[in-house]
Amino acid sequence: MGLTLTEKILKAHLVEGEMVKGSEIGIRIDQTLTQDATGTMAYLEFEAMGVPRVRTERSVAYIDHNTLQNGFENADDHRFIGSVAKKHGIYFSRPGNGICHQVHLERFGVPGKTLIGSDSHTPTGGGIGMIAMGAGGLDVAVAMGGGTYYITCPKVVKVELTGKLSPWVAAKDVILEVLRRMSVKGGVGKVIEYCGEGVKTLSVPERATITNMGAELGATTSIFPSDEVTKQFLEAQGRGEVWSEQKADPDAVYDEELHIDLSELVPLAACPHSPDNVKTVAEIGKLKIDQVCIGSCTNSSLLDMMKVAHILKGKTVNPDVSLAIAPGSKQVLNMMADMGILGTLIAAGARILESACGPCIGMGQSPNSGGISLRTFNRNFLGRSGTKDGQIYLVSPELAAYSALTGYLSDPRELGEMPDFVLPEKFSVNDNMIVLPAPEEEMDKVEILRGPNIKPFPETAPLEATIEAGCSLKVGDNITTDHIMPAGAKILPLRSNIPAISQHCFTVCDEAFPSRAKEMGQSIIVGGSNYGQGSSREHAALAPLYLGVKAVLVKSFARIHRANLINAGILPLTFVNEADYEKISQGDVLELADIRRHIEAGETTLTLVNKTTGAEIPVLCELTGRTKDIILAGGLLDYTRDKLSK
């Protein structure tokens, strides 16, 4: 029996475990990436492990999130990351060089390699045939130190693409269609593998758009084969030597299959406030808009900008619409200038932003109150734009650009014939904004630069014998990491200061939560299905840890957030019977008696007693040997430090 592409790469990197679906496996990691919103904490954790130099083939630190330097905090974090990178063998992509996923695809990604990044959209690398996964910063720190990365051996979903996209229908519409069919939790425990004749019709930037937004499925990652299209892209980047063919065996067996005829797709939009709330433009109807934002790691490639410029050329943005455009990298921005694209966009009335994440994470360009904003981004969670009542629609660059002209949500197929958009045979390559690490013999001379906003990792302690704590918060289904630990221009600068950022924890749901949790001393959070979907930000675990949260009990978890809770030493519990969710109210006193003894014994079904009502509730605490030891130790940092000291 043949292997899927996913299975081939995982098997080649297998360090621990067996390739049995649903079991835990440990894999060797070839590359890592961090970005500045998660990187500061990741490097503090790396330092705490005492490993002098990274042991990966390539690790890269990017500055792309906190680039709005309103105060000293962000600039201080940039200096800290740059100095750590230089000292410990990490490549440093300076502010202005671009978004981590776009730059990594251009300059560092290698087909057939494994990559983890402290950003949930790291699966972008799947566009060139990598197993690229988002992870918590502590997992990335361990991988940089040469440690194994552990995942649940995933099921593999075959998405067979046939046909070819119709004019003005985009790669964004492909992933929106997948989200429409599978939902934001339909990919949990799975890798989405794209196959079929239709793959050949998609360029690498288009494939990367699809794998990037595959993160919204809750999937472990997404991947395309590495073929002649991949080879041409890498040769155009001057990196043809890293190419290798990567494909599934002809007789590979998949766990699920999905078929999409590209020629049947139409322009789509994800409506507020979820990426899977997908409708056709026709279904939504004539919708007056206030703002258009084009860019983000999903849609900021040169190909995207070429299409946008063609649509806007010689025209003017509707006077009722604000249009902001952020190219994905310095390379893209330089080539836009050389090709005349930049001048076209400026002449049309676009506001050109720096090559960074920007509006996608609420870092500027928030829409007006109640404003309708079309964005080429990957997430439209409530409040993520920085405007609590903003109505965010996720669309393709083609649809966004055309709508910016009309002032309404508009079908780009009305533009008529579409020219062939052909990528250059050679991209402009200038890596002068990537700082190389110091040679190993000079690393001791490098001074680590720490600003006053940089605080140490929160204190942890081994698991207690018994946990008795109040329910500090009860929330519903599909709680995102933006609910737990919001982003935005006011909060992101505090990513290296857990005591300060914890004051914003869950304030989207309940403004009193931080003070209440801190006053309770220790507490338990109760939630619904798909708890923790969205970003890989480990701050959504570290802030609750600082506030005294000992356990989170929910109907189901998103993959990365559950791992982050374990890494922080917080018990991840699920209801045996989901109906028992109704047996707990905020403020109830809950007890997990003899919890340490039960976990040490390997028991997975435990009893939680609601001491306020007397109800006994069976809960699952499914921990493997390794994750059990992490919880008992008080978190991954303590566990790793203990292992390295032996």
Side-chain angles (χ1 to χ4, degrees), residues 167-343:
W168 303 116
V169 180
K172 187 64 160 283
D173 299 310
V174 178
I175 187 57
L176 287 174
E177 175 65 13
V178 176
L179 277 157
R180 185 185 69 80
R181 295 194 198 182
M182 292 184 67
S183 85
V184 292
K185 57 184 178 182
V188 174
K190 304 170 186 176
V191 171
I192 314 301
E193 189 168 310
Y194 291 87
C195 311
E197 289 299 308
V199 167
K200 298 176 184 177
T201 69
L202 299 173
S203 67
V204 164
E206 289 171 317
R207 298 175 187 186
T209 289
I210 294 167
T211 56
N212 171 282
M213 201 168 171
E216 311 321 318
L217 295 163
T220 303
T221 191
S222 301
I223 190 169
F224 276 83
S226 171
D227 54 14
E228 285 298 317
V229 175
T230 319
K231 185 179 182 181
Q232 290 171 10
F233 175 81
L234 291 171
E235 287 177 343
Q237 288 286 348
R239 300 197 300 120
E241 76 282 356
V242 305
W243 178 82
S244 64
E245 185 178 39
Q246 303 288 332
K247 63 180 181 179
D249 291 330
D251 57 343
V253 176
Y254 292 85
D255 298 286
E256 298 175 27
E257 294 193 16
L258 200 67
H259 175 257
I260 295 177
D261 184 341
L262 297 175
S263 64
E264 293 181 355
L265 293 181
V266 299
L268 301 169
C271 305
H273 295 285
S274 181
D276 63 355
N277 186 16
V278 176
K279 297 180 181 179
T280 67
V281 174
E283 287 174 322
I284 298 170
K286 194 173 184 179
L287 183 71
K288 192 174 189 308
I289 63 173
D290 302 288
Q291 184 192 55
V292 171
C293 293
I294 297 172
S296 86
C297 57
T298 316
N299 279 119
S300 59
S301 68
L302 180 63
L303 182 65
D304 290 325
M305 298 301 160
M306 290 165 65
K307 293 177 179 179
V308 169
H310 174 82
I311 293 169
L312 296 180
K313 189 170 185 177
K315 302 180 178 65
T316 301
V317 173
N318 187 284
D320 294 332
V321 176
S322 171
L323 170 62
I325 298 177
S329 68
K330 180 171 71 74
Q331 181 186 86
V332 172
L333 185 57
N334 278 339
M335 295 187 72
M336 288 169 62
D338 292 342
M339 296 167 69
I341 291 172
L342 193 57

Side-chain angles (χ1 to χ4, degrees), residues 18-33:
E18 297 181 2
M19 295 287 293
V20 177
K21 306 293 172 68
S23 66
E24 186 178 67
I25 58 172
I27 59 173
R28 183 184 75 256
I29 296 301
D30 300 316
Q31 298 186 346
T32 68
L33 68 80

Side-chain angles (χ1 to χ4, degrees), residues 29 39 70 121 159 186 220 247 375 396 417 428 431 512 526 579 625 642:
I29 296 301
N70 183 18
H121 293 106
V159 179
T220 303
K247 63 180 181 179
R375 298 182 166 210
S396 70
E417 288 189 29
S428 173
D431 291 332
V526 175
D642 290 345

